[in-house]
Amino acid sequence: MPGAIYAEGLVKTFGDVRAVDGVDLDVPQGTVLGLLGPNGAGKTTVVRCLTTLLTPDSGKLSVAGIDVVKQPNEVRRNIGLSGQFAAVDEYLTGRENLQMVAQLYQMPAKAAKARAGELLDRFHLADAADRPSKTYSGGMRRRLDLAAALVVSPPVMFMDEPTTGLDPRNRQQLWDVIRELVSGGTTLLLTTQYLEEADHLAHDICVIDHGKVIARGTSDQLKAQIGGERVEVVVHERDQIAPAAEVMQALGKGEVKVENHTRRLTVPVTGGAKLLAEVIRDLDARGVEIDDIGLRRPTLDDVFLSLTGHVAELDEGENGNGTEKEAGK
């Protein structure tokens, strides 16, 4: 039986560009799927097709057991959507924005007012509830938009880059809200470029690139695919990066990743703590002073780099190759 969010053979093209090329998804009820991919990979187009904002060229799609193409209005009654950019009326107050959304869902006025108050408290906006939202900071607008997506407590939620623009405290608060929703049975499809976010929240992860699924599994399963451990070194001075890289290249089992601005070097290794001691000895022999050194497991950043050839980047409308920009027309 298909999951709460289901896609089979989803295809969407824009002219000669095949933005989504045969994507299959199956998200069980009460779980979180993290949809990852570089800019222009097709993530937002997938979300727009599943939420009835775009009509797919082909494929079988259902949300909450409802056919997305045949019954779009019924799908809309059963989903919440928070897009990449906050969609709030800047001339209405925070409270009025939420009450308006509630009444669009045909919620009685009294219930709409109560629900708005509850969400304003939940998203730490109560102090600004009666100010026009145009006076809100970017993070506050983002939280108001997320609150609006939860007005009717939908069984299925789609969050497209939900924590972009939030500071660490507000991001953590949103994570707590998401965990609470999912524990209550809500199903969530989450696109994000914060790989730590997917690591913390997603039961399963699907990586897409050029409109195709290139990997899927749990966070641990994806990390296991690239295997091994990493030695991570922070050198004291930037001019010591080159000799440190030579030492790590000689002892490592892959390419040395260098972050010049943080003076951090990372390389895949085998040998564990014994090799770590060898790295320390050889760096000392070369006169390289270090501020920090450690042995760690692969992260989702390592997985992303291995699968796509580059690190994750924050989206700018997902128009890296033009496809997602066209999708928004």
Side-chain angles (χ1 to χ4, degrees):
M1 182 176 177
I5 302 173
Y6 180 78
E8 180 182 338
L10 171 58
V11 173
K12 182 64 183 177
T13 59
F14 300 97
D16 295 331
V17 178
R18 205 170 177 89
V20 180
D21 191 7
V23 166
D24 297 331
L25 301 173
D26 194 353
V27 189
Q29 181 179 346
T31 66
V32 179
L33 175 70
L35 192 61
L36 307 184
N39 291 347
K43 303 184 301 298
T44 295
T45 299
V46 169
V47 170
R48 289 173 176 164
C49 287
L50 286 164
T51 56
T52 77
L53 297 176
L54 287 174
T55 303
D57 296 327
S58 61
K60 183 178 179 181
L61 283 69
S62 67
V63 174
I66 306 162
D67 190 293
V68 172
V69 175
K70 294 179 180 177
Q71 298 174 278
N73 289 334
E74 189 63 25
V75 168
R76 292 173 194 138
R77 294 188 186 98
N78 285 273
I79 65 173
L81 169 63
S82 177
Q84 287 186 17
F85 306 103
V88 299
D89 188 318
E90 63 179 17
Y91 293 102
L92 297 180
T93 67
R95 190 185 309 279
E96 289 167 343
N97 264 284
L98 297 183
Q99 289 180 198
M100 177 186 69
V101 172
Q103 290 178 314
L104 287 172
Y105 277 101
Q106 300 181 337
M107 189 180 292
K110 186 176 180 179
K113 183 177 180 179
R115 182 60 173 159
E118 177 187 335
L119 288 167
L120 289 164
D121 286 336
R122 191 177 195 181
F123 283 88
H124 305 279
L125 292 168
D127 290 344
D130 298 310
R131 281 169 36 197
S133 61
K134 66 181 179 181
T135 67
Y136 286 14
S137 67
M140 291 169 70
R141 282 176 173 236
R142 191 65 178 142
R143 280 157 32 218
L144 182 61
D145 180 67
L146 292 164
L150 296 173
V151 162
V152 293
S153 301
V156 178
M157 280 288 302
F158 294 87
M159 292 186 175
D160 196 4
E161 308 286 353
T163 58
T164 299
L166 297 186
D167 60 37
R169 184 187 67 171
N170 285 316
R171 185 175 300 144
Q172 184 63 57
Q173 288 171 347
L174 178 62
W175 290 1
D176 292 341
V177 170
I178 289 174
R179 292 189 186 100
E180 182 183 334
L181 287 169
V182 175
S183 67
T186 299
T187 306
L188 172 63
L189 189 150
L190 169 76
T191 78
T192 181
Q193 293 288 1
Y194 295 112
L195 302 186
E196 180 191 11
E197 188 162 85
D199 218 351
H200 277 272
L201 298 176
H203 296 89
D204 285 291
I205 293 170
C206 182
V207 183
I208 66 173
D209 198 10
H210 300 294
K212 294 178 179 289
V213 175
I214 59 172
R216 71 179 75 210
T218 66
S219 176
D220 285 343
Q221 287 169 342
L222 292 178
K223 291 173 185 177
Q225 286 185 20
I226 64 172
E229 297 169 307
R230 280 19 181 193
V231 166
E232 194 170 81
V233 172
V234 178
V235 298
H236 186 64
E237 298 291 346
R238 192 164 278 108
D239 60 8
Q240 296 177 323
I241 289 176
E246 291 176 8
V247 168
M248 295 173 71
Q249 189 68 60
L251 296 175
K253 297 297 180 181
E255 183 179 351
V256 178
K257 176 184 172 184
V258 178
E259 298 174 13
N260 284 287
H261 61 294
T262 59
R263 309 183 310 281
R264 187 183 305 274
L265 300 91
T266 308
V267 68
V269 298
T270 56
K274 182 178 179 182
L275 184 83
L276 188 63
E278 194 172 348
V279 171
I280 293 171
R281 187 189 65 228
D282 286 6
L283 288 172
D284 184 60
R286 292 287 298 270
V288 176
E289 185 179 354
I290 60 175
D291 289 342
D292 193 20
I293 188 168
L295 190 69
R296 64 170 175 80
R297 293 184 60 210
T299 66
L300 277 183
D301 284 287
D302 299 317
V303 173
F304 199 97
L305 178 62
S306 174
L307 292 171
T308 67
H310 57 83
V311 297
E313 300 168 351
L314 288 179
D315 260 341
E316 294 293 343
E318 269 208 15
N319 56 3
N321 62 14
T323 58
E324 299 289 355
K325 187 175 181 181
E326 287 197 52
K329 288 185 178 179

